[in-house]
Amino acid sequence: MITYLIMHALLVGFNLLNVKHDAYRITKHKAIAHGLNFGVFTLFCALLCLLSRWNVGVITLFSVSAFFNRQLSFDIPLNLRRKLPWYYQSTANPPKALMDRIERKIFGNLSGKWIATVYAAGWLICLLIKTFL
């Protein structure tokens, strides 16, 4: 369990570095490489899983919880760094980022507060599953 939490802390650190990079690009009116961000994040998660030597079940659970972690520890700090409300959702129609488009399809025009609550609940459920495995 400790390894699982440490790996999540490493993901948060990775996401905060990505926030700093993307916020800088936004202030310079440069495009964000959403696909590249996703790819590098996925590779980092894979590296953590490889280092952890978990079984397939725990790797699957970690991967799902890493998604929820990303949505919370990347989106919220990026919004705050951009001086936006923490729960801000893109108003572009359609949004540029694939994940923003998927969120719009799933959640419609629900408040970002509700969306963050769903992600936090998902992460907590994964944590509880890991605790009782």
Side-chain angles (χ1 to χ4, degrees):
M1 183 63 173
I2 296 298
T3 302
Y4 186 85
L5 293 173
I6 290 170
M7 297 301 186
H8 271 286
L10 291 171
L11 287 178
V12 170
F14 177 89
N15 289 335
L16 292 176
L17 288 173
N18 194 196
V19 163
K20 185 175 181 179
H21 178 262
D22 281 4
Y24 173 79
R25 291 191 63 81
I26 289 168
T27 61
K28 298 298 181 187
H29 305 288
K30 294 185 178 190
I32 303 302
H34 298 288
L36 181 62
N37 284 350
F38 174 76
V40 174
F41 178 76
T42 301
L43 286 174
F44 187 67
C45 287
L47 176 65
L48 293 178
C49 290
L50 182 67
L51 293 173
S52 70
R53 299 177 183 242
W54 289 321
N55 63 42
V56 173
V58 177
I59 288 173
T60 303
L61 182 66
F62 180 77
S63 299
V64 171
S65 64
F67 166 77
F68 294 128
N69 178 328
R70 172 73 174 185
Q71 296 310 107
L72 295 167
S73 66
F74 177 79
D75 288 355
I76 293 171
L78 182 61
N79 289 340
L80 294 175
R81 195 163 182 110
R82 294 172 61 203
K83 311 255 188 288
L84 297 167
W86 67 269
Y87 53 86
Y88 174 79
Q89 294 295 307
S90 174
T91 56
N93 197 11
K96 291 180 184 176
L98 175 62
M99 193 62 222
D100 289 344
R101 291 194 303 263
I102 292 170
E103 282 179 347
R104 181 88 46 90
K105 288 245 186 237
I106 293 171
F107 298 109
N109 290 325
L110 284 177
S111 163
K113 293 176 185 178
W114 283 106
I115 297 169
T117 300
V118 169
Y119 291 141
W123 189 84
L124 184 60
I125 289 167
C126 290
L127 182 63
L128 290 172
I129 291 169
K130 174 64 176 128
T131 301
F132 295 108
L133 269 182

